[in-house]
Structures are given as C-alpha cells and as structure tokens.
Amino acid sequence: MAKVATILLAAGLSRRMGARNKLLLPVNGTPMIRHMVNVYEKATNCPILVVTGHEHAKVEAALKGSMAATHFNPDYELGQATSVACGLRNAPDADMVLMGLGDQPLLTAANLNTLISAHENADAGRISIPMHNGARGNPIVIPAHLHARLLEDPRAPGCKKFTRSHPDHVQFQNLTARGFYTDIDTPEAYENLVDLEESS
C-alpha cells in the first residue's frame, strides 16, 4: 500500500470572512480546521502537517490533541505559494502527499479515497488535479519525487506556476463531488454551510 501523507494549508489571513477566522468557525460543532484534519486522517495512512500563519496560536489550540503536527510559515502574509513551499520543505515522508486547503468542509474521506485511487490507477508519477466542467479542485496529489521540482523557482515556488508550465507532469482526474470545488471564504458561504448542516 502506498504511503499517503497530507499537507493542509491553514495560514491565510481570512480577509473575505471579515473579523472571523474561517478556520476556527464550527462545522458540526468542531473548529473547521480540526474537522478537516479528521477527514484526512480517515483517508490517509501517514502524518498530517498543517501549515499555520495568521492567528497561528489559535489554530494550533484548535488542533491540540489531534493527529496533526503544525509548522508556522513566517512568510504567510506574502501569499499561499509561501505556505505551499513551507509545507513541501517540511513534508512527511511518504510516496505521495495530498496538498489540501483547510476550508473545504464538504470534502469527505470517501472523496479523498476516490482521488487517491484515481491517481494510483493513472500515472502515479504525475501530479493529479481534480477537474470538473473546466474547474480545478483541491486537494491535489503530489508524488514525492516532484517536491524538489516545485521548489526550484524561488520567485514562484509551489504548485500553481509549475503545473501550468509543465503539463507533462500533470494529469486531471474527472471527479464530480462538490467538496473538491467548494471552499468557505465569505460569511455567505459559511451561512450556506450552516443551512446545509441544519437541513441534513
């Protein structure tokens, strides 16, 4: 069985949510970032690394007692690419890493298992990206041997530029689950999530 680790990005400023840090908002009674760690823990078999930044002490407190380790990104205010690079530099030892976001609470462990299976049944040496109706999703699957390649360009480290500049190292997985394409960035999106919880 392949070893699958996780890097969750949880360093952003959460500006569009207003005064609240979206990662600390409750999802079924649990802080969102803790909920996400629980989801990934059910689907993977290696450590989970959470990259922190904004309000890192509060995020770390929300994760206390969980299976996640945290690593603070001192450059988090410079953008997500710095957190991706921080995560890759400190990635757990595994055959592949799921690089995910801390604000996708509609994702399920079954969704993640589907992505992992699709990756393994395609070319496990490429980066797998969920895609549906032209929209790219998260998490993506990064084989261990490509970590160094993603860090080669100090001006633009991480996945975004690399995956667009090197299509030969990328494969898209046609996955339809809503969780891959839904993150919670605004108060309206969070209220919709709460309404969905109350109706289920």
Side-chain angles (χ1 to χ4, degrees), residues 183-198:
D183 51 8
I184 306 299
D185 283 332
T186 64
E188 293 76 18
Y190 181 66
E191 292 305 319
N192 289 338
L193 175 67
V194 172
D195 291 343
L196 185 63
E197 288 178 2
E198 291 177 348

Side-chain angles (χ1 to χ4, degrees), residues 65-92:
S66 76
M67 299 299 294
T70 62
H71 194 92
F72 175 67
N73 171 23
D75 299 318
Y76 71 92
E77 292 188 72
L78 299 179
Q80 189 180 85
T82 67
S83 292
V84 172
C86 180
L88 289 172
R89 291 189 190 104
N90 296 279

Side-chain angles (χ1 to χ4, degrees), residues 3-194:
K3 295 168 65 179
V4 185
T6 300
I7 297 170
L8 280 177
L9 305 180
L13 292 165
S14 193
R15 286 194 180 102
R16 293 173 62 191
M17 189 59 71
R20 299 180 294 179
N21 185 334
K22 60 186 176 182
L23 299 180
L24 303 176
L25 295 174
V27 175
N28 292 322
T30 302
M32 189 181 300
I33 187 60
R34 180 86 175 235
H35 169 83
M36 295 307 303
V37 165
N38 293 343
V39 170
Y40 277 83
E41 182 185 351
K42 292 175 184 175
T44 59
N45 56 11
C46 285
I48 296 171
L49 175 67
V50 177
V51 180
T52 64
H54 176 60
E55 296 190 336
H56 63 96
K58 292 181 180 179
V59 173
E60 290 164 8
L63 293 172
K64 188 175 182 180
S66 76
M67 299 299 294
T70 62
H71 194 92
F72 175 67
N73 171 23
D75 299 318
Y76 71 92
E77 292 188 72
L78 299 179
Q80 189 180 85
T82 67
S83 292
V84 172
C86 180
L88 289 172
R89 291 189 190 104
N90 296 279
D93 181 30
D95 300 306
M96 66 187 83
V97 166
L98 291 175
M99 177 73 73
L101 306 177
D103 65 343
Q104 290 187 292
L106 295 184
L107 269 177
T108 67
N111 296 155
L112 297 176
N113 285 329
T114 298
L115 171 60
I116 293 166
S117 294
H119 174 78
E120 292 180 323
N121 289 329
D123 183 347
R126 294 187 180 192
I127 295 171
S128 282
I129 302 176
M131 178 172 276
H132 184 58
N133 289 337
R136 290 185 176 214
N138 287 291
I140 68 173
V141 185
I142 306 173
H145 75 94
L146 286 177
H147 290 188
R149 293 290 309 275
L150 293 172
L151 296 170
E152 283 179 346
D153 185 351
R155 297 165 301 174
C159 306
K160 187 173 183 179
K161 182 179 179 182
F162 181 87
T163 57
R164 286 164 172 78
S165 301
H166 299 86
D168 52 315
H169 289 302
V170 176
Q171 57 195 353
F172 294 100
Q173 307 295 348
N174 182 25
L175 300 172
T176 61
R178 183 180 173 189
F180 289 115
Y181 311 98
T182 305
D183 51 8
I184 306 299
D185 283 332
T186 64
E188 293 76 18
Y190 181 66
E191 292 305 319
N192 289 338
L193 175 67
V194 172

